[in-house]
Every structure is written in C-alpha cells, then in structure tokens.
Amino acid sequence: AYSFQDAVCDVLKNRLTKAIDIFKHDHNINGRKPALVMSGGVAANLTIRTALEKLAEDKSMSFVAPPLKLCSDNAAMIAWAGIERLRLGMSDTLDLKARPRWPLEELNDQVGA
C-alpha cells in the first residue's frame, strides 16, 4: 500500500508540475500568487497533501485545502464550499431541480454556450 501511495504521489506531482508550468506560461500572473487547490477525499491523505503543499511552495503558489476533518465526508465538503461562497457574498436562488442522473454532454453544451 505504501508503494502504491508513493507512486500515486509521484504521478500527481509530475502532472501538476507540468500543468502549473503550462498555466504560468499561458497566463500573465503579474506578481499575483496563484493557488493550488486540493479537495475531496484525497485531501485527507497526509502524504499527498504534504507533497502538494511543498510543490505549491516550490512553485511560489498558495496552497488551499479544507480542514482535514471535512475531507472524508462529501456532505461536509459541500457544506464547506457553501460556507465559503456565502462568505464571499455569493448565493443561489435554490430553484434548481435536483437531477440524480445528469448527462455530461448536456452540462458541456451549457458551459460551451
């Protein structure tokens, strides 16, 4: 299990390093400090979390992740995201109809429109 975790960590660091380099090349950040954001259940993995915190530091980025106690429960993560949006003054009308099966193609069409 340790070897697998180590391999996953190496792959994540490698891919993120490339993605960060591309991002910095393609976007003029003019002295701003972009953020590397980690969320979901993987954010509870201390080995990966520590490696990505170091990567962010090495790349002069902020590292943002929810508190560990919120990383294992998806409902808690959704609530935390809502709290952060509320703190920013963002709100929704709540008139969206819940859909347990939402085809990705339909979402993609809405985003591209």
Side-chain angles (χ1 to χ4, degrees), residues 68-82:
L68 284 172
K69 65 184 177 181
L70 299 180
C71 293
S72 62
D73 182 334
N74 196 40
M77 290 292 298
I78 292 168
W80 181 66

Side-chain angles (χ1 to χ4, degrees), residues 21-109:
D21 291 343
I22 291 168
F23 173 81
K24 286 186 172 184
H25 178 267
D26 291 351
H27 300 280
N28 185 5
I29 59 173
N30 281 338
R32 293 176 301 192
K33 192 172 186 178
L36 176 60
V37 179
M38 180 182 194
S39 63
V42 72
N45 183 300
L46 293 178
T47 299
I48 295 172
R49 189 177 182 122
T50 301
L52 298 188
E53 281 179 293
K54 172 98 173 70
L55 175 62
E57 181 183 322
D58 292 346
K59 293 290 187 176
S60 300
M61 299 178 76
S62 300
F63 179 80
V64 180
L68 284 172
K69 65 184 177 181
L70 299 180
C71 293
S72 62
D73 182 334
N74 196 40
M77 290 292 298
I78 292 168
W80 181 66
I83 289 168
E84 292 300 320
R85 288 178 51 88
L86 189 61
R87 285 181 181 158
L88 293 171
M90 301 168 75
S91 65
D92 294 309
T93 61
L94 302 178
D95 60 354
L96 178 70
K97 182 180 175 188
R99 294 179 63 180
R101 304 276 186 269
W102 200 326
L104 293 177
E105 296 83 19
E106 191 175 322
L107 289 172
N108 192 34
D109 292 342

